[in-house]
Amino acid sequence: MPSSVPPHGGKLTELIVDADGAAELRALSRDFPSWDLTPRQLCDLELLLSGGFSPLEGFLCRADYEGVCQDMRLASGALWPIPVVLDVPEETAKALDRGTTLALRDFEGVMLAVLHVEEVWQPDRAAECEHVYGSTNGEHPGVAYVTQSTNPWYVGGRLEGLQLPHHYDFVELRLAPAQLRERFVALGWRQVVAFQTRNPMHRAHQELTFRAARELQANLLIHPVVGMTKPGDVDHYTRVRCYQAIATHYPRNTVMLSLLPLAMRMGGPREAILHAIIRKNHGCTHLIVGRDHAGPGSDSTGKPFYGPYEAQELLRKHEEELGLRMVPFRMMVYLAERDAYVGEDEVPDGAAAKTLSGTQLRQRLADGRDIPAWFSFPEVVEELRRTYPPKSRQGFTVFFTGLPSSGKSTLANVLMVKLLEMGGRPVTLLDGDLVRKHLSSELGFSKEHRDINIRRIGFVASEITKNRGIALCAPIAPYESVRKEVRDMIAPRGGFVLIHVATPLAVCEKRDRKGLFAKARAGIIKEFTGISDPYEEPTDADMAIDTTDLAPEECVQEIVLHLEKEGYIGLGSGV
Ligand code: ADP
Ligand code: ADP
């Protein structure tokens, strides 16, 4: 018995050729030009080859692209909301022509598919953003991707696939459309409601999916996106462990978990249509659409990019044509007096409804505070705590910057001893002189070389921070821009504290611990910071310390108090 839902466009366009075809393409490929796919293109290719993007048979050509942007229609008239294009830089584009066969390779160089090039053109990317996302604001992640991370030329054409991109993680959970369809048939699942998500699932999600499935007398497919989601989201490894945990909270044999290698665009209403098409291709009959579905939130002025139920409204207009039903949900909130989740529109007057936003949840995890039982399940919370330990168990970097002899090494050494005394995390000191001896021995003191040196320190410190250790850096680091680069590299992986050792030049020169100021004044040492080379004072320091009238211990005590205030050291990180 075939699955009751036909794919979008009538047939599943699986684009992998048979073994003979693949062998032939491999033999011919010596003479094909090659393109190494970007992570986004790799995700798109996987859904194209597996039929998840049926009826597309390749990357869009120009007429399809323009139709999709302007009217959400392919040239054939079929509904398609968001362009799926292959972007390349100009030099690659110039080497391609109609009739060229382009080998598409993964980052290891393995040929996954060939593209029979039909068209190469330069799109109007601002117009694309306006049409597809209704915005040209770079704070919208979809817009940012098109305008900043997309190459300026598009290549359209038909694909022939040799193999799907290979994944080593959660292999048994990655079911392609045909495999899922087969499973549904084998299990006798005629009605399947899909739940799209890019976040960990908590009680609200369990309640609403369970409710949807029960009311429709359908089975549930938890179908999370594991390709690319919004920058800053919880990594998919952690999320999948959360989904596996939550799957045990449904009646047996009514729920299935499968991972979707989609690169999300955060395109709100249009993306909801894409999600519906993809789920239809995977054999689902229904899709749950809640509040602000696939929405990027608000811009910096607080204005949301999309209305909270705009995605539902757009999908409603097209569900008849698609033949997949939307299951709309209002925002679910917790009602303590009933100990139950209800839609935000069902909250009785005067009753206090509770929710926790993603940001509030992160804050509680960072502070090591309780996550209420009404909000989530203990197993899910435990997984999240493993990935997001409280700040006092995360790694951090203290980065000292200042003139020579200002006191950076001295303070870093004293701080190291204090932190070792407290224990709990390994401490690495990346002192300026030491780094120059071991890590950067070939570098001089030009701006270029100084910047390379700081980037190297930043890289090592970011690895240490990621692995939950403490890095103390004490280079001069005279340039603001590279200090900012280092902050951006490290801050997302733990803590970053910039300390300006703001001892005045005259004091540093008087100390002249290594006799270097004297040599610089005499012109024996060139490019000496403070004398014959610039020092840009930080504008973003977390602390500034003038060591002129203080003992090193006093300065370090101030730093320790700051680290305590910020939560990097505290209960559990010392005696
Ligand atoms: P995205 O919409 O970007 O995939 P989520 O993973 O947060 O992000 O949401 C998945 C789906 O669940 C969406 O349809 C969303 O609207 C819905 N949803 C999320 N949280 C709630 C909630 N508390 N109440 C109702 N629907 C929700
Ligand atoms: P840098 O690493 O910035 O070149 P050093 O730490 O090597 O500087 O040298 C700073 C000098 O200043 C040392 O001789 C140190 O003893 C002296 N000093 C005096 N007071 C302080 C203080 N409060 N903090 C740090 N160093 C101080």
Side-chain angles (χ1 to χ4, degrees):
M1 183 182 65
S3 161
S4 47
V5 210
H8 190 43
K11 104 175 198 297
L12 206 56
T13 51
E14 292 171 292
L15 305 175
I16 303 278
V17 298
D18 61 20
D20 290 346
E24 195 179 327
L25 285 172
R26 269 196 201 96
L28 291 171
S29 70
R30 200 194 59 186
D31 301 321
F32 298 160
S34 276
W35 171 250
D36 294 340
L37 295 158
T38 63
R40 154 85 75 100
Q41 294 168 350
L42 211 53
C43 290
D44 287 352
L45 181 77
E46 182 162 359
L47 284 174
L48 284 166
L49 297 184
S50 71
F53 277 163
S54 301
L56 303 190
E57 294 184 2
F59 288 102
L60 295 190
C61 285
R62 192 166 187 166
D64 283 331
Y65 166 75
E66 283 170 1
V68 165
C69 287
Q70 285 160 29
D71 310 312
M72 299 207 300
R73 296 278 163 191
L74 297 167
S76 66
L79 185 67
W80 195 271
I82 293 181
V84 177
V85 287
L86 183 72
D87 58 295
V88 297
E90 179 156 315
E91 67 266 25
T92 310
K94 293 284 181 219
L96 301 175
D97 247 326
R98 189 183 169 83
T100 311
T101 307
L102 177 65
L104 301 181
R105 298 179 187 276
D106 69 10
F107 55 90
E108 286 176 346
V110 177
M111 182 166 71
L112 299 176
V114 298
L115 182 75
H116 299 287
V117 176
E118 286 163 43
E119 243 174 330
V120 185
W121 80 102
Q122 206 170 8
D124 178 346
R125 286 180 293 169
E128 176 182 329
C129 292
E130 192 58 62
H131 283 303
V132 176
Y133 301 115
S135 172
T136 49
N137 183 344
E139 290 166 351
H140 184 304
V143 173
Y145 194 91
V146 174
T147 52
Q148 292 158 34
S149 306
T150 303
N151 292 298
W153 290 76
Y154 287 173
V155 190
R158 202 170 48 78
L159 281 168
E160 282 187 291
L162 287 92
Q163 63 184 85
L164 290 176
H166 197 77
H167 297 284
Y168 298 98
D169 57 332
F170 304 116
V171 180
E172 73 290 357
L173 294 178
R174 294 175 177 273
L175 298 176
Q179 293 172 307
L180 261 184
R181 286 171 167 271
E182 241 172 60
R183 279 281 168 101
F184 294 157
V185 171
L187 293 168
W189 287 18
R190 297 180 62 90
Q191 302 251 71
V192 182
V193 51
F195 182 63
Q196 138 78 29
T197 182
R198 43 168 265 270
N199 281 311
M201 288 173 71
H202 303 290
R203 266 183 205 274
H205 310 103
Q206 192 272 350
E207 286 271 345
L208 81 87
T209 49
F210 181 62
R211 220 197 252 195
R214 195 181 43 197
E215 280 168 18
L216 292 163
Q217 296 191 36
N219 297 283
L220 175 68
L221 175 69
I222 300 176
H223 208 198
V225 173
V226 297
M228 291 168 78
T229 62
K230 192 174 160 188
D233 279 348
V234 175
D235 69 88
H236 81 268
Y237 300 101
T238 305
R239 286 193 286 118
V240 173
R241 294 194 299 270
C242 291
Y243 304 136
Q244 286 174 318
I246 212 161
T248 61
H249 289 269
Y250 294 87
R252 260 172 186 281
N253 303 325
T254 62
V255 59
M256 196 187 295
L257 170 62
S258 181
L259 312 184
L260 181 69
L262 170 70
M264 282 183 76
R265 271 72 168 170
M266 305 313 297
R270 279 197 183 214
E271 180 136 358
I273 300 221
L274 182 65
H275 290 173
I277 292 174
I278 294 170
R279 274 38 184 241
K280 183 181 171 194
N281 289 335
H282 283 78
C284 303
T285 50
H286 296 77
L287 171 68
I288 294 172
V289 179
R291 187 178 190 280
D292 197 23
H293 186 96
S298 303
D299 66 17
S300 53
T301 67
K303 186 167 169 284
F305 284 101
Y306 307 111
Y309 298 104
E310 223 179 303
Q312 292 184 1
E313 286 153 26
L314 189 67
L315 185 51
R316 186 167 293 119
K317 283 194 198 139
H318 296 282
E319 62 178 339
E320 196 63 50
E321 175 183 357
L322 281 172
L324 170 137
R325 290 283 152 197
M326 170 172 73
V327 187
F329 264 91
R330 305 293 289 196
M331 168 85 173
M332 299 289 281
V333 292
Y334 180 71
L335 210 53
E337 58 187 41
R338 277 199 231 153
D339 186 23
Y341 275 86
V342 298
E344 62 183 349
D345 54 342
E346 299 163 45
V347 178
D349 282 345
K354 294 203 239 186
T355 53
L356 268 193
S357 69
T359 316
Q360 287 170 319
L361 174 64
R362 289 276 182 114
Q363 197 54 51
R364 280 175 185 256
L365 290 168
D367 298 344
R369 280 193 292 149
D370 180 46
I371 312 286
W374 60 262
F375 177 74
S376 197
F377 297 96
E379 311 93 291
V380 172
V381 173
E382 194 186 314
E383 279 305 335
L384 292 174
R385 285 204 199 280
R386 281 174 66 201
T387 303
Y388 300 100
K391 260 182 163 182
S392 60
R393 284 200 280 122
Q394 289 173 18
F396 66 89
T397 292
V398 180
F399 194 103
F400 295 90
T401 170
L403 292 168
S405 283
S406 57
K408 304 180 295 295
S409 302
T410 308
L411 296 182
N413 272 291
V414 177
L415 179 60
M416 177 169 74
V417 170
K418 293 285 174 206
L419 291 168
L420 288 172
E421 210 179 77
M422 291 176 206
R425 278 169 292 190
V427 187
T428 301
L429 177 59
L430 297 163
D431 185 55
D433 294 321
L434 222 71
V435 167
R436 281 199 171 264
K437 205 183 237 167
H438 298 295
L439 199 60
S440 293
S441 57
E442 84 288 16
L443 297 181
F445 291 89
S446 64
K447 172 160 194 311
E448 192 198 350
H449 276 194
R450 284 177 188 270
D451 283 353
I452 296 174
N453 182 42
I454 298 306
R455 268 185 215 113
R456 286 182 189 168
I457 294 176
F459 173 74
V460 176
S462 78
E463 287 298 308
I464 291 170
T465 302
K466 182 184 85 180
N467 290 309
R468 301 184 188 164
I470 300 174
L472 306 179
C473 312
I476 298 173
Y479 297 111
E480 176 98 346
S481 65
V482 73
R483 287 191 304 252
K484 284 209 175 353
E485 261 179 58
V486 168
R487 181 192 285 276
D488 291 343
M489 210 185 316
I490 298 175
R493 311 177 125 195
F496 182 84
V497 179
L498 182 68
I499 299 185
H500 179 202
V501 186
T503 314
L505 178 64
V507 178
C508 298
E509 185 163 7
K510 195 155 140 247
R511 285 180 183 163
D512 201 12
R513 198 179 181 201
K514 300 165 202 158
L516 298 175
F517 278 93
K519 286 188 182 169
R521 288 284 182 203
I524 301 167
I525 299 180
K526 311 268 185 260
E527 298 177 311
F528 192 75
T529 305
I531 305 296
S532 45
D533 221 44
Y535 180 79
E536 298 171 3
E537 300 217 336
T539 55
D540 61 342
D542 300 279
M543 279 182 90
I545 302 179
D546 178 350
T547 67
T548 311
D549 299 315
L550 292 172
E553 291 82 349
E554 289 174 301
C555 301
V556 168
Q557 192 54 29
E558 276 183 41
I559 300 172
V560 168
L561 290 175
H562 177 84
L563 293 174
E564 221 164 31
K565 187 182 102 214
E566 293 295 314
Y568 295 121
I569 50 184
L571 289 178
S573 62
V575 278

